[in-house]
Amino acid sequence: MGPRKAFLFSPFLLWSQSRGVRLMFLLLTLHLGNCVDKADDEDDEDLTVNKTWVLAPKIHEGDVTQILNSLLQGYDNKLRPDIGVRPTVIETDVYVNSIGPVDPINMEYTIDIIFAQTWFDSRLKFNSTMKVLMLNSNMVGKIWIPDTFFRNSRKSDAHWITTPNRLLRIWNDGRVLYTLRLTINAECYLQLHNFPMDEHSCPLEFSSYGYPKNEIEYKWKKPSVEVADPKYWRLYQFAFVGLRNSTEICHTISGDYVIMTIFFDLSRRMGYFTIQTYIPCILTVVLSWVSFWINKDAVPARTSLALMEYGTLHYFTSNKKVKTARDRKIKSKASISPGLHPGSTLIPMNSISLPQGEDDYGYQCLEGKDCASFFCCFEDCKTGSWREGRIHIRIAKIDSYSRIFFPTAFALFNLVYWVGYLYL
């Protein structure tokens, strides 16, 4: 019975053993898979680290200091690059922060710019994994810098708050970039013969102060001039039209110099003068015509109108002048006799009172009436016979003719004025 039982249970034992082998094989497979995944992850991490190390190598502070020390060792900042070999080429570009205000009295304008210069200095080449050295203003005085100055500048200010607004970049091939921020009051001679419809080109000129053309050559970079948003500029009466740049050679006793010029085109805004000058003056002239429709016997009305016209013109002329103590003194003296004010430009003829009665300057009519001018000014004198060469015209007729003549003449004047200023 024993061997038979063993025979009967042998398949069960074989099945149990094969099941254990399968479990062991499955566990071994899972373990190997985890090992492979961990190995792949470690490989990926190493690959990422290696890529990072290649793209951004770690540079120590000592390495940069060593590069700068080696560049400045034996460097003479009093000598320009390639002296005695070829001219040094300076590429320039300008970024305009703002323009204005424009001062038409002193013939100047204010401009805020960032001025950039680029050149090559073979003495500043270096071998390193770094492509460019980004430095501040402390390095500027240790290398050669172009002696550029602004020829039409009356006053220039460099910005020093909170630190000097200067930038220096040195590339490993010897290229140098130097920028600084400046505020300049530059000359701009305004041509005011078309005022207030005038247009101007305000220049900004710069060149080398001591190096002629055979030593330093200036060239424009591309883009050469860029501007900020003009809507924040303080131009007030002017509008920014555009800009252009040019290069020319100036011949002097000390040599030929390259002059770089930027022209800023400005046009005066007409809206300001239309509201402040043209419309008030036109209304004042039209107001003076009202007296032609007032009865000649209404002396108070005509006089009041004349005084109102005089006061209006005096207001506009006095606002255009800079008041000083002397002007106020003259004004106080002249206020006693307003008809003799030295600044008055309008004395309406209808406000003049003609003398009546006998005097030595009258002209005697045949009927014994006295007339004080070429015109017959009194109704009781209109029937008299005038002396030879005198004119006999009635005041009522003068008003009738003036109602047509003055508006027509003013309309023709405006036609010629606007056509001449705007289109000729």
Side-chain angles (χ1 to χ4, degrees):
M1 193 67 187
R4 187 176 179 180
K5 288 182 179 180
F7 178 77
L8 291 175
F9 285 101
S10 60
F12 176 76
L13 294 174
L14 292 175
W15 180 81
S16 300
Q17 292 177 357
S18 62
R19 184 179 179 184
V21 172
R22 290 176 185 173
L23 290 174
M24 292 179 62
F25 181 75
L26 180 60
L27 294 174
L28 181 62
T29 303
L30 292 175
H31 178 71
L32 291 176
N34 291 333
C35 293
V36 172
D37 292 340
K38 291 181 179 179
D40 292 340
D41 293 340
E42 292 177 358
D43 292 341
D44 292 341
E45 291 177 359
D46 294 340
L47 183 61
T48 304
V49 172
N50 291 337
K51 286 182 179 179
T52 305
W53 186 85
V54 172
L55 293 177
K58 187 175 182 180
I59 301 298
H60 297 282
E61 180 181 355
D63 297 338
V64 179
T65 303
Q66 184 178 1
I67 293 174
L68 293 177
N69 292 335
S70 62
L71 291 178
L72 297 178
Q73 185 176 4
Y75 186 93
D76 191 353
N77 60 359
K78 298 186 295 296
L79 303 178
R80 69 171 182 85
D82 301 325
I83 184 171
V85 179
R86 57 180 174 269
T88 302
V89 179
I90 310 295
E91 295 183 348
T92 60
D93 60 293
V94 177
Y95 181 82
V96 181
N97 288 322
S98 65
I99 301 177
V102 179
D103 188 356
I105 297 177
N106 297 321
M107 296 291 181
E108 65 181 21
Y109 71 101
T110 304
I111 183 171
D112 183 359
I113 64 172
I114 297 177
F115 184 62
Q117 303 175 91
T118 306
W119 67 93
F120 280 90
D121 193 341
S122 58
R123 298 171 293 180
L124 297 178
K125 292 182 178 180
F126 60 91
N127 294 323
S128 175
T129 54
M130 294 185 65
K131 299 297 181 181
V132 58
L133 296 176
M134 299 183 181
L135 308 172
N136 59 11
S137 59
N138 296 328
M139 187 68 179
V140 173
K142 299 180 181 180
I143 65 173
W144 180 85
I145 300 295
D147 61 341
T148 307
F149 81 109
F150 292 88
R151 302 177 64 91
N152 64 330
S153 170
R154 292 183 178 177
K155 180 182 178 182
S156 300
D157 293 323
H159 292 253
W160 299 92
I161 304 299
T162 58
T163 59
N165 295 176
R166 297 188 292 184
L167 176 146
L168 186 65
R169 298 284 187 268
I170 301 177
W171 278 262
N172 58 358
D173 58 352
R175 182 160 59 99
V176 181
L177 170 65
Y178 174 56
T179 69
L180 70 162
R181 185 183 176 188
L182 300 170
T183 297
I184 303 171
N185 291 347
E187 296 176 348
C188 181
Y189 294 103
L190 307 180
Q191 303 296 329
L192 300 176
H193 56 276
N194 286 332
F195 177 87
M197 287 164 278
D198 47 341
E199 297 180 353
H200 309 281
S201 292
C202 293
L204 182 65
E205 302 176 352
F206 61 90
S207 67
S208 173
Y209 190 85
Y211 292 100
K213 179 184 176 182
N214 57 353
E215 296 286 339
I216 283 184
E217 291 184 4
Y218 286 91
K219 291 184 178 180
W220 289 110
K221 222 175 181 182
K222 293 183 179 179
S224 55
V225 183
E226 296 183 1
V227 297
D229 193 349
K231 68 180 181 181
Y232 299 109
W233 296 357
R234 297 175 297 169
L235 289 174
Y236 303 132
Q237 297 182 15
F238 294 90
F240 178 71
V241 178
L243 58 85
R244 63 187 188 280
N245 55 345
S246 65
T247 304
E248 60 181 5
I249 305 298
C250 178
H251 304 282
T252 64
I253 299 176
S254 58
D256 299 338
Y257 293 86
V258 180
I259 298 179
M260 315 292 281
T261 307
I262 307 173
F263 293 96
F264 300 97
D265 297 330
L266 307 175
S267 64
R268 195 180 298 271
R269 299 179 188 271
M270 278 297 299
Y272 173 82
F273 289 93
T274 301
I275 297 174
Q276 295 290 329
T277 304
Y278 283 105
I279 293 179
C281 288
I282 290 174
L283 294 178
T284 303
V285 173
V286 173
L287 181 64
S288 66
W289 302 339
V290 178
S291 61
F292 300 141
W293 279 267
I294 299 177
N295 194 314
K296 66 181 187 305
D297 295 329
V299 178
R302 299 169 80 101
T303 305
S304 301
L305 183 62
L307 290 176
M308 185 167 57
E309 296 168 10
Y310 171 79
T312 304
L313 270 183
H314 181 268
Y315 170 77
F316 286 115
T317 55
S318 62
N319 282 352
K320 303 298 182 181
K321 299 178 181 179
V322 179
K323 295 183 179 181
T324 61
R326 183 178 179 183
D327 292 334
R328 288 193 294 267
K329 184 177 179 181
I330 295 175
K331 181 178 179 181
S332 62
K333 291 181 178 180
S335 61
I336 300 175
S337 56
L340 300 177
H341 194 281
S344 62
T345 56
L346 176 65
I347 303 179
M349 293 182 61
N350 50 41
S351 66
I352 300 176
S353 298
L354 297 175
Q356 302 182 18
E358 295 183 0
D359 58 81
D360 296 337
Y361 299 98
Y363 299 98
Q364 186 175 5
C365 294
L366 293 180
E367 295 180 353
K369 303 296 182 180
D370 293 333
C371 296
S373 67
F374 288 93
F375 304 101
C376 186
C377 302
F378 306 100
E379 292 294 334
D380 54 357
C381 191
K382 65 183 180 180
T383 58
S385 301
W386 283 74
R387 295 175 59 184
E388 185 179 357
R390 304 304 178 189
I391 304 175
H392 180 200
I393 301 178
R394 297 179 59 183
I395 296 297
K397 290 293 184 181
I398 294 179
D399 286 347
S400 300
Y401 298 151
S402 299
R403 295 170 190 172
I404 301 175
F405 174 76
F406 280 95
T408 304
F410 188 66
L412 292 176
F413 168 78
N414 276 275
L415 178 63
V416 174
Y417 177 86
W418 291 108
V419 171
Y421 268 83
L422 294 177
Y423 300 104
L424 299 181

